[in-house]
Amino acid sequence: MLSPTHISNAGDAITAVMMLTACLIFGSLPCIRMIGWWSEGTIDGGMAMIAIMMYIGLLVSATMLPIIYGIVIILVILSSAIMFPIFSQVNDTAQLRSIDKDRLEKYSEALDRNPMDHAARLAYAEALKKEGDIHEALKHMEWLLETVPSLSFRVRPQVESWRRELERVGVPNPIICHRCHAENAWNAEGCEQCGAAFGTVRGMKQSVHNDGGPKAVIRGWLVASTSVIVVMFVLFSMPTIIAGPIILATVLVAIWLFLKWVGGDMGTVGD
């Protein structure tokens, strides 16, 4: 990719440098993660070294092969950079679930030995709630309320919160206002506290009404015209491989600005 035989003009040189930089950035993410696993003892050091050497080999190949092969290498490295966090999260989740299961078993054994172990029962109830068994968790918390009134200051707020959570099962979630964060009914069209409209269309209508039609038109024109100028400049002055991502980013930013600036925060629901 950086070999003189594969570079015929300045555009090819810029493209090659940008692609190699992308390889270095994307490739560093899995390498850093593998080093972390190595230091934690999750994987064998030899296996980690071999995997890191494979990335180095891909980077060296990218500098020697034609640009088209460099694109393939970038896609391979990018795919691995995306998959590593996913697999890492799955692994972390599995380990946490295993830890939680062991913890539940220890709390259960402690209660079998001493049913009056209040600390173990409280921890057991909270662990059950974390596992999703809120009904069983409530039974233990209510037992604590009745048996140990001195713990009511600690236990009662959780019991009431868990009861409300049970009552909301099957009920649509409330709408949280994007401006003042007030809680509204699930089918509300606007915030009862600050009056913000929910939904893109209603949000844009409200923005036009509050700010005035001319302001909305001028803002929309500024966003649209600037985006068109940037897209045209990039399209006619840069290689396609560079222009494509820039144009896509410009369009996404333009849409976001239009909805945020012209549409009055889009009238979205929640953050």
Side-chain angles (χ1 to χ4, degrees):
M1 192 161 56
L2 292 180
S3 173
T5 58
H6 302 141
I7 298 175
S8 58
N9 53 57
D12 289 343
I14 295 174
T15 301
V17 171
M18 291 185 66
M19 291 174 61
L20 184 61
T21 303
C23 285
L24 291 170
I25 293 173
F26 296 142
S28 65
L29 301 177
C31 289
I32 292 172
R33 188 56 182 166
M34 283 187 289
I35 293 172
W37 284 340
W38 183 4
S39 63
E40 294 170 359
T42 306
I43 59 174
D44 181 68
M47 186 182 299
M49 286 299 299
I50 292 173
I52 293 172
M53 291 302 295
M54 291 293 292
Y55 274 101
I56 296 175
L58 285 174
L59 291 174
V60 173
S61 300
T63 63
M64 300 172 61
L65 297 173
I67 290 178
I68 186 65
Y69 295 104
I71 295 175
V72 175
I73 291 174
I74 284 182
L75 292 176
V76 171
I77 293 178
L78 178 59
S79 300
S80 65
I82 293 173
M83 295 305 296
F84 255 82
I86 295 175
F87 286 131
S88 176
Q89 185 176 6
V90 171
N91 177 67
D92 293 343
T93 301
Q95 289 184 348
L96 288 174
R97 290 189 65 85
S98 177
I99 293 172
D100 290 340
K101 187 177 179 180
D102 293 340
R103 193 175 296 164
L104 271 173
E105 292 178 355
K106 290 179 180 178
Y107 293 148
S108 180
E109 292 172 359
L111 288 176
D112 289 338
R113 292 192 299 268
N114 180 15
M116 298 304 294
D117 188 341
H118 304 147
R121 190 173 296 276
L122 179 60
Y124 186 53
E126 291 175 342
L128 285 171
K129 170 61 169 58
K130 188 176 180 180
E131 287 292 303
D133 193 352
I134 189 170
H135 290 90
E136 190 66 23
L138 265 174
K139 290 180 182 178
H140 288 279
M141 295 295 269
E142 289 170 348
W143 183 91
L144 281 172
L145 270 180
E146 296 175 0
T147 309
V148 195
S150 59
L151 289 177
S152 61
F153 181 77
R154 166 73 170 81
V155 174
R156 189 177 298 280
Q158 283 185 298
V159 170
E160 293 175 353
S161 175
W162 293 357
R163 284 173 179 168
R164 287 195 299 269
E165 188 173 333
L166 272 179
E167 293 173 356
R168 290 197 297 265
V169 173
V171 179
N173 292 327
I175 297 176
I176 306 301
C177 178
H178 58 281
R179 289 186 183 173
C180 68
H181 306 283
E183 185 174 307
N184 296 267
W186 66 271
N187 58 348
E189 296 184 354
C191 179
E192 296 180 357
Q193 296 293 329
C194 67
F198 298 144
T200 301
V201 175
R202 284 191 290 268
M204 293 181 67
K205 288 181 179 179
Q206 186 181 62
S207 177
V208 171
H209 175 74
N210 293 340
D211 299 337
K215 283 187 178 181
V217 171
I218 291 174
R219 290 174 177 176
W221 166 248
L222 288 175
V223 172
S225 59
T226 303
S227 303
V228 170
I229 291 172
V230 171
V231 168
M232 296 298 291
F233 174 78
V234 170
L235 189 61
F236 289 105
S237 63
M238 296 184 180
T240 304
I241 192 172
I242 300 176
I246 296 177
I247 291 174
L248 178 61
T250 302
V251 172
L252 293 176
V253 171
I255 292 173
W256 180 80
L257 281 175
F258 183 84
L259 292 174
K260 177 128 182 121
W261 196 22
V262 182
D265 248 353
M266 302 194 321
T268 49
V269 178
D271 289 325

